[in-house]
Amino acid sequence: MPTAHDVDELIRRMYEAPPDSFVAARAAAVAQAREAGDRAATKRLAALRKPTVAAWVVNLLALRRPDLIDELVELSTALRDAQRGLDGAQLRQLSAQRRQVVSALVAQARELASGASVGGKLPLAEVEATLTAALAEPDIAAQVRTGRLVRAVSYAGFGEVPRPRLRLVTDEVDADAADDEGAADDEGADVAAEAAPDGTVSDIRIRAAEQRRRREFQERHRALARELSAAQAAESRADQQLERAESAERDAGHTVEDLDAELAELERRRAEAQADVARRKSARRDAEREAAAARRRVGDAQAALEDLEAHDPG
């Protein structure tokens, strides 16, 4: 009976091999475990799910280059620790470093997967999204480390959740304060214009116009920021809906794969049962022939005995 370590190694080989061979390998492993009478291994192997091509590429990286995944996790920890209190320059520097690390990992993953027949172009964008998510989320990094991903994952942002609030230019409170300040400036400018000598009225009017343009710019900026926020929220909802639809599609595909595997197993058992029926039918016919021959021998012996008794000289 295979040990738990043997089963682990078998599972590792299944997730390391191209996805096209997964279903057949799983069916063979389940049949072997069932034949060995290992119910725990049978149940464990039957529960495995076929990975997508993107998940398989990430699994290759985790299984063959675990040192790179360890470096990814270490960088992830450092980035989360450093995120609090970042200024714009530090954030840009860390973002550039993150992109470099992910790009290097994607290149390594591409190299590991090169030469394998996966029925099309490698989905490196999904690989990159998964590694970026692993860089941002410890739970996703832990899943990547197992080398048993079944689908690619993505992450909407970077950092801990909830993340520290970062201001790009200004926020609503600052903008409103700027409006109040601008209104006060306009009012002061009008009063000053009324009280100032004629020679300074033009300068005051120019400054007031500049302040109005600044307020208009700020109002437009806030409107665009709100529009961007709404668009990003809509995009996030659409991405989540797409992910749910893809997940449902994959689950349905897994169900079909499992049913195919079960059907193949039933077909095998049916063929064995038909062969057994044929053997038993042949055995029954042999027994019928032997029985008929035995009855003939009995009849011959009985007839001979009666003939002998009929000619008994006594």
Side-chain angles (χ1 to χ4, degrees):
M1 184 175 295
T3 64
H5 177 73
D6 294 335
V7 176
D8 287 339
E9 285 299 313
L10 176 60
I11 293 175
R12 174 192 172 95
R13 292 194 297 271
M14 290 171 61
Y15 279 98
E16 195 173 6
D20 289 346
S21 64
F22 186 88
V23 174
R26 181 181 59 187
V30 169
Q32 184 177 3
R34 185 180 291 118
E35 184 177 353
D38 192 337
R39 293 185 177 180
T42 300
K43 184 176 180 180
R44 184 181 175 191
L45 291 167
L48 298 177
R49 291 293 174 262
K50 177 183 176 180
T52 64
V53 175
W56 167 69
V57 175
V58 176
N59 290 337
L60 271 184
L61 189 64
L63 294 172
R64 296 184 181 178
R65 293 299 307 273
D67 55 313
L68 296 181
I69 302 300
D70 290 341
E71 292 178 5
L72 180 74
V73 173
E74 291 175 3
L75 177 59
S76 172
T77 302
L79 288 171
R80 286 194 302 273
D81 291 342
Q83 186 178 3
R84 298 177 181 87
L86 290 179
D87 60 25
Q90 289 175 313
L91 184 59
R92 286 191 295 272
Q93 181 180 2
L94 289 174
S95 297
Q97 183 179 359
R98 179 185 63 195
R99 288 192 296 270
Q100 291 173 358
V101 170
V102 172
S103 297
L105 289 175
V106 171
Q108 181 64 50
R110 183 198 299 114
E111 182 178 344
L112 291 173
S114 62
S117 176
V118 293
K121 186 178 179 181
L122 291 175
L124 297 179
E126 294 182 47
V127 174
E128 181 177 356
T130 300
L131 294 173
T132 301
L135 191 58
E137 278 291 344
D139 291 344
I140 297 177
Q143 295 175 30
V144 169
R145 261 180 160 169
T146 66
R148 298 179 188 178
L149 284 182
V150 295
R151 63 176 181 270
V153 294
S154 60
Y155 184 66
F158 182 74
E160 297 174 334
V161 179
R163 300 186 297 278
R165 186 176 180 182
L166 301 178
R167 297 181 180 179
L168 296 178
V169 177
T170 183
D171 58 17
E172 294 295 332
V173 176
D174 292 341
D176 292 340
D179 284 347
D180 294 339
E181 180 182 354
D185 289 343
D186 281 351
E187 183 178 355
D190 292 338
V191 172
E194 293 175 358
D198 292 341
T200 62
V201 171
S202 178
D203 292 338
I204 293 174
R205 295 297 184 186
I206 291 174
R207 289 197 296 270
E210 291 176 349
Q211 290 169 354
R212 282 193 297 272
R213 285 195 296 270
R214 183 180 64 183
R215 286 199 308 277
E216 291 171 357
F217 171 81
Q218 291 171 342
E219 290 172 359
R220 180 58 177 165
H221 185 277
R222 289 199 304 277
L224 291 175
R226 286 192 295 269
E227 183 178 346
L228 174 61
S229 179
Q232 289 174 334
E235 180 187 26
S236 178
R237 290 192 297 270
D239 288 342
Q240 292 173 0
Q241 183 177 0
L242 175 60
E243 184 176 353
R244 287 193 296 270
E246 290 176 342
S247 177
E249 180 185 9
R250 284 191 294 268
D251 290 342
H254 291 153
T255 300
V256 172
E257 292 169 1
D258 291 341
L259 291 174
D260 286 342
E262 292 176 8
L263 179 61
E265 174 65 13
L266 289 174
E267 288 290 349
R268 183 188 65 79
R269 292 170 58 185
R270 179 174 180 272
E272 290 180 351
Q274 287 177 329
D276 187 52
V277 168
R279 287 193 298 270
R280 293 179 184 275
K281 183 181 292 186
S282 177
R284 189 255 304 166
R285 289 172 179 171
D286 291 342
E288 286 177 345
R289 287 193 293 269
E290 291 179 1
R295 283 194 292 271
R296 286 195 298 271
R297 289 195 297 271
V298 169
D300 292 344
Q302 186 174 6
L305 179 60
E306 292 175 351
D307 183 66
L308 179 64
E309 290 176 347
H311 297 84
D312 186 357

